[in-house]
Amino acid sequence: MKKINSIIDIENQYDLILCDIWGVLFDGDRIFPGVHDALSKISKKVFLLTNSSQRVTVLEAMLNKLQIARNTHYQLLISSGEFFCQSVIHQTLPLKLPAKYFFLGKNHQIIANLPNIERVHNHHDAQMLVLAGNVLYKNEIEQINPILEDCAQNQLPLFCLNPDMISMDADKRPVACDGQIANHYQQKSGPVIYMGKPNQPIYQYALKNSMIHQPKVLMIGDSYSTDGLGALNSQIDFALVSSGVEYHHWQTNNTNMSFEQWIHQQGYQVKWLLDSLN
């Protein structure tokens, strides 16, 4: 692991750069300093790769408001939510389609009106569960727990559109994400299909869309459990930015070690370490 000052210092070593959004570009509210400048200076292809369950059109509109524009600061945006939708449309899910689904979460509009799947309001009538949008207040978890137990017993697959366990808000506080519900379902022996990082399919989808033959790829992220492991599983170099999830884990670990020493102790396979993109 080598500490660097800017992503510009190493970009010429790669053909394609995959970059997380939350915790790397912005904190859920504000753009981190130097992000616009760094993205505009990168000469290689930049794909934004996020575990957001939102569709690409929604995320692009959000980034436009932050003055991060496609073709100026990045070439393609891929979200785990969009990846799920495209997999449904092209019938590439690991499940026979058409199928009926029971929805968990707050963001049903993400998958409303998709072909090949039909929503049912009784989980006993479903062939799969779809989770999108945090359902993590204690009373809500208690409400859906009997449903999860029933579905796990019947081995109903759960498609998790945001595999993240936590993200960081603008005040540097951890926010629970859908991955916690999916993990809870797995503990009940329910089968889970994670649509985003760290699973390889979303990386393969990104590489296919790059139109580059055997590219040398770098993944930039703030979480080792998603960005880092995904890169490792796909044989991609990983650059860890100390502005998000892992930095929070280090701070709450009550250790006297530096952040860099702590990363070494965890056994994380990190190629580059930087405080921010620039």
Side-chain angles (χ1 to χ4, degrees):
M1 178 172 63
K2 183 178 180 181
K3 183 75 180 287
I4 57 174
N5 294 320
S6 170
I7 202 66
I8 306 302
D9 297 339
I10 58 167
E11 62 130 342
N12 61 358
Q13 299 183 31
Y14 300 96
D15 305 305
L16 173 66
I17 295 175
L18 306 178
C19 185
D20 191 18
I21 298 178
W22 276 264
V24 177
L25 303 186
F26 86 130
D27 60 10
D29 183 35
R30 297 177 296 270
I31 290 289
F32 292 128
V35 164
H36 290 109
D37 187 49
L39 290 177
S40 62
K41 286 181 178 177
I42 294 175
S43 61
K44 305 301 174 68
K45 279 188 177 181
V46 176
F47 286 4
L48 302 183
L49 188 63
T50 173
N51 272 353
S52 170
S53 58
Q54 293 288 352
R55 298 292 300 265
V56 160
T57 51
V58 173
L59 295 171
E60 286 184 340
M62 176 197 74
L63 291 175
N64 283 337
K65 290 180 180 178
L66 298 169
Q67 298 183 320
I68 297 179
R70 185 170 180 172
N71 298 324
T72 300
H73 298 104
Y74 66 95
Q75 282 66 54
L76 186 66
L77 193 159
I78 301 169
S79 71
S80 49
E82 186 69 37
F83 182 51
F84 174 80
C85 293
Q86 294 302 320
S87 299
V88 169
I89 292 168
H90 297 290
Q91 300 191 42
T92 55
L93 284 181
L95 180 77
K96 185 178 179 180
L97 297 177
K100 296 178 180 179
Y101 70 92
F102 183 82
F103 187 79
L104 298 168
K106 302 182 187 300
N107 295 334
H108 181 256
Q109 76 279 2
I110 295 167
I111 61 171
N113 304 316
L114 282 179
N116 303 319
I117 56 174
E118 176 189 349
R119 185 180 187 181
V120 294
H121 295 279
N122 187 325
H123 63 278
H124 294 293
D125 299 325
Q127 282 102 41
M128 65 176 181
L129 301 174
V130 178
L131 172 63
N134 297 352
V135 192
L136 293 167
Y137 295 108
K138 185 178 179 181
N139 63 325
E140 291 177 324
I141 295 175
E142 290 173 351
Q143 287 174 8
I144 67 170
N145 202 47
I147 294 174
L148 295 177
E149 289 181 352
D150 273 357
C151 293
Q153 188 172 4
N154 292 318
Q155 289 296 285
L156 220 64
L158 183 151
F159 288 85
C160 178
L161 273 58
N162 181 352
D164 287 353
M165 299 292 281
I166 66 167
S167 63
M168 306 305 295
D169 69 11
D171 296 316
K172 305 294 184 184
R173 295 174 301 190
V175 178
C177 296
D178 293 342
Q180 294 194 24
I181 291 290
N183 182 260
H184 182 62
Y185 189 63
Q186 278 186 306
Q187 290 176 3
K188 297 177 182 295
S189 299
V192 175
I193 296 92
Y194 294 100
M195 294 307 300
K197 303 170 289 185
N199 282 11
Q200 280 188 290
I202 197 167
Y203 286 87
Q204 294 166 349
Y205 182 76
L207 297 185
K208 181 180 178 181
N209 278 277
S210 75
M211 306 296 287
I212 303 172
H213 180 63
Q214 296 183 338
K216 178 70 173 174
V217 185
L218 175 68
M219 176 74 218
I220 308 170
D222 70 312
S223 168
Y224 192 76
S225 63
T226 53
D227 306 312
L229 285 181
L232 179 65
N233 293 338
S234 299
Q235 298 180 314
I236 291 171
D237 286 352
F238 178 52
L240 177 64
V241 177
S242 60
S243 54
V245 170
E246 296 306 334
Y247 195 77
H248 164 74
H249 290 327
W250 168 68
Q251 286 183 314
T252 57
N253 201 46
N254 295 320
T255 177
N256 293 323
M257 290 182 286
S258 68
F259 182 60
E260 191 169 350
Q261 290 171 332
W262 183 79
I263 292 296
H264 274 298
Q265 187 197 55
Q266 301 306 305
Y268 292 166
Q269 297 189 40
V270 176
K271 177 80 171 179
W272 311 103
L273 180 66
L274 61 166
D275 294 329
S276 64
L277 287 189
N278 194 17

